[in-house]
């Protein structure tokens, strides 16, 4: 009698307190999760970037934007990649566009070193290398560059991941690394290399990057350290929060797996995640969104915009205000929409890239054309 009375008292004491919902199980009616359960740990800066910088020719972001060697074509669906008899980014199976960010993410002013443009990420079909594309909006000309990992004081190699979404913040370029977290690349160190098929130091001296003229080195990364898995599929910047923040989210075919969005805070002075002791960055918000085939999401002014792919059918964009049901804008983008990016200029725009061979575009949507809940 006495023992069970104690148990009952304990239960009464604890049950009304906040019941922490599992961050890794979305099968509850309350879809909000505790942001701080989602933890990324900042890893030390790569020491080889500095030594390599002394050996290689450095160029600016503006220089790369002005050195386009291919051109996009304006179509009713969006800007299409170059397709000629000798070069074809529209149909190639070797590279697939995945992520998009713009100079409007980089700096609040919307331009960077006087340039207005996008950076798009592509994964290689074997996921053993990543390239990014600088698209100059004034000329529609573009240039690919290779992301590299400096593994020695005098050498670098390709970045062997499936690159997903991408985000540009000041002089840093953030690329999601599906199971591991986020990699950050240094736009203050874009290096020009010479011709050659290899990646890194050439036997005869100098450097090459699989035929690409420029490389961008990884400066640091954020390691996923929570005990449960999270799938880093896409990333976007929100400059309308204080401080600035980013959201990362998960692609899943079906809700048999959790499909979540998480927000982390950014420090505009260091261009890093806000961390506490132990260099740990904890999420400040997390939510079980549960939209199957979610490929990208971006938030601005308290509203979320979410892309969904539908196989060979056109893609959807959801407009969502937390607390309400997301509203579907069915088929408003070509098939295969991916990552999203927001630009407050000219009344507000959302950008995406579409991935399927044959229908690869940069799509520019007016925010006013997307209905929200
Ligand atoms: C959530 O529900 C789905 C669908 O019923 C199921 O496949 C999945 O295993 C559940 N997840 C957990 C963690 O219980």
């Amino acid at each position: 009698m006495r023992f069970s009375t104690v148990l009952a008292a304990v239960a009464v004491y604890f049950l009304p307190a906040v019941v922490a919902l599992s961050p890794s199980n979305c099968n509850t009616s309350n879809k909000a999760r505790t942001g701080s359960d989602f933890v990324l740990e900042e890893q030390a800066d790569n020491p080889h970037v500095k030594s390599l910088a002394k050996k290689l020719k450095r160029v600016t972001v503006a220089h790369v934007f002005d050195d386009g060697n291919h051109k996009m074509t304006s179509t009713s669906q969006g800007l299409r990649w170059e397709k000629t008899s000798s070069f074809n980014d529209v149909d190639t199976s070797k590279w697939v566009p995945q992520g998009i960010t713009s100079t409007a993410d980089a700096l609040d002013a919307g331009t960077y070193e006087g340039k207005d443009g996008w950076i798009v990420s592509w994964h290689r079909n074997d996921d053993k290398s990543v390239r990014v594309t600088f698209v100059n909006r004034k000329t529609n000309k573009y240039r690919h560059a290779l992301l590299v990992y400096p593994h020695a004081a005098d050498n670098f190699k390709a970045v062997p991941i499936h690159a997903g979404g991408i985000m540009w913040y000041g002089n840093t370029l953030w690329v999601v690394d599906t199971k591991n977290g986020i990699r950050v690349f240094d736009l203050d160190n874009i290096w020009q290399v010479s011709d050659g098929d290899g990646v890194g130091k050439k036997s005869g001296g100098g450097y090459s990057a699989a035929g690409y003229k420029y490389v961008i080195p990884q400066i640091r990364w954020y390691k996923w350290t929570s005990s449960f898995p999270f799938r880093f599929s896409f990333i976007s910047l929100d400059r309308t929060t204080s401080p600035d923040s980013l959201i990362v989210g998960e692609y899943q075919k079906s809700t048999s797996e959790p499909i979540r969005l998480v927000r982390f805070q950014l420090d505009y002075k260091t261009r890093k995640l806000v961390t506490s002791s132990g260099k740990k960055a904890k999420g400040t918000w997390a939510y079980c969104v549960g939209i199957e085939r979610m490929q990208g999401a971006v938030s601005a002014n308290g509203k979320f915009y979410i892309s969904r792919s539908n196989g060979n059918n056109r893609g959807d964009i959801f407009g969502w205000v937390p607390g309400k049901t997301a509203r579907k804008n069915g088929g408003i983008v070509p098939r295969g929409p991916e990552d999203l990016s927001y630009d407050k200029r000219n009344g507000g725009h959302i950008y995406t890239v579409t991935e399927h061979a044959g229908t690869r575009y940069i799509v520019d949507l007016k925010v006013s054309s997307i209905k929200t809940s």
Side-chain angles (χ1 to χ4, degrees), residues 99-341:
I100 187 162
T101 182
S102 84
T103 47
D105 280 340
L107 295 174
D108 195 54
T111 56
Y112 193 90
E113 295 172 357
K115 303 299 166 191
D116 190 349
W118 293 283
I119 298 182
V120 171
S121 59
W122 303 62
H123 85 85
R124 204 168 77 180
N125 53 7
D126 61 1
D127 288 339
K128 293 203 167 127
S129 189
V130 181
R131 73 180 188 187
V132 296
T133 313
F134 291 75
V135 182
N136 187 325
R137 290 188 72 165
K138 197 169 170 192
T139 61
N140 281 348
K141 290 186 83 176
Y142 69 89
R143 161 80 67 177
H144 297 307
L146 200 69
L147 297 186
V148 295
Y149 179 78
H151 63 288
D154 65 347
N155 211 353
F156 55 76
K157 55 188 184 184
V159 175
I161 63 169
H162 174 108
I166 189 169
M167 179 193 92
W168 186 355
Y169 191 51
N171 57 358
T172 57
L173 190 61
W174 302 52
V175 180
V176 287
D177 181 345
T178 316
K179 290 180 181 165
N180 305 310
I182 310 172
R183 297 191 183 221
V184 184
F185 295 82
D186 184 2
L187 290 168
D188 282 341
N189 276 296
I190 304 177
W191 300 323
Q192 185 171 335
V193 297
S194 45
D195 283 344
D197 293 335
V199 177
K201 213 159 67 165
K202 288 165 51 165
S203 53
Y207 293 85
S208 66
Y212 294 99
K213 187 174 177 183
Y214 303 108
V215 299
I216 307 167
Q218 182 179 322
I219 181 74
R220 73 182 65 92
W221 69 290
Y222 289 94
K223 183 181 180 178
W224 174 248
T225 56
S226 296
S227 58
F228 55 92
F230 186 84
R231 189 180 171 100
F232 291 84
S233 302
F234 52 83
I235 184 168
S236 62
L237 179 65
D238 188 341
R239 289 185 163 281
T240 69
T241 55
S242 183
D244 293 340
S245 60
L246 63 79
I247 56 176
V248 285
E250 304 183 288
Y251 164 87
Q252 294 290 358
K253 283 199 186 82
S254 123
T255 49
S256 59
E257 300 291 336
I259 304 178
R260 297 159 292 191
L261 287 176
V262 184
R263 185 183 299 277
F264 291 90
Q265 293 185 329
L266 286 156
D267 180 342
Y268 75 93
K269 292 193 211 87
T270 59
R271 303 297 183 189
K272 291 178 176 181
L273 288 180
V274 172
T275 52
S276 52
S277 61
K279 298 272 181 188
K280 292 210 190 302
K282 295 186 172 175
T284 55
W285 173 87
Y287 201 87
C288 288
V289 176
I291 293 178
E292 292 175 342
R293 304 180 311 282
M294 175 168 74
Q295 298 275 12
V298 64
S299 63
N301 303 309
K303 291 178 181 168
F304 286 75
Y305 305 91
I306 295 170
S307 63
R308 171 162 81 182
S309 61
N310 297 308
N312 277 331
N313 296 320
R314 292 174 63 85
D316 308 323
I317 304 287
F318 288 84
W320 176 48
V321 176
K324 298 183 179 169
T325 304
R327 179 145 175 197
K328 185 170 98 171
N329 296 259
I332 68 166
V333 285
R335 62 182 183 156
E338 293 282 315
D339 198 31
L340 300 177
S341 174

Side-chain angles (χ1 to χ4, degrees), residues 5-159:
T5 307
V6 171
L7 270 190
V10 167
V12 167
Y13 185 77
F14 282 106
L15 275 182
V18 178
V19 177
L21 293 168
S22 164
S24 56
N25 179 354
C26 284
N27 296 341
T28 54
S29 53
N30 179 359
K31 299 299 182 189
R33 291 296 180 270
T34 306
S36 57
D37 285 341
F38 297 77
V39 184
L40 285 163
E41 189 180 87
E42 184 188 317
Q43 306 296 301
D45 281 11
N46 187 320
H48 305 314
V49 173
K50 268 189 190 142
S51 49
L52 272 164
K54 292 184 189 127
K55 300 176 194 300
L56 283 135
K57 182 185 173 191
R58 197 176 69 89
V59 301
T60 62
V61 166
H63 178 92
V64 180
F65 271 125
D66 280 342
D67 192 25
N69 57 340
H70 299 293
K71 196 168 181 188
M72 307 213 60
T73 304
S74 194
T75 76
S76 61
Q77 300 298 314
L79 286 177
R80 190 178 60 210
W81 301 97
E82 184 169 297
K83 177 175 177 169
T84 66
S85 54
S86 58
F87 186 85
N88 190 343
D89 273 340
V90 175
D91 301 302
T92 179
S93 57
K94 186 172 178 189
W95 293 97
V96 183
Q98 296 286 285
I100 187 162
T101 182
S102 84
T103 47
D105 280 340
L107 295 174
D108 195 54
T111 56
Y112 193 90
E113 295 172 357
K115 303 299 166 191
D116 190 349
W118 293 283
I119 298 182
V120 171
S121 59
W122 303 62
H123 85 85
R124 204 168 77 180
N125 53 7
D126 61 1
D127 288 339
K128 293 203 167 127
S129 189
V130 181
R131 73 180 188 187
V132 296
T133 313
F134 291 75
V135 182
N136 187 325
R137 290 188 72 165
K138 197 169 170 192
T139 61
N140 281 348
K141 290 186 83 176
Y142 69 89
R143 161 80 67 177
H144 297 307
L146 200 69
L147 297 186
V148 295
Y149 179 78
H151 63 288
D154 65 347
N155 211 353
F156 55 76
K157 55 188 184 184
V159 175

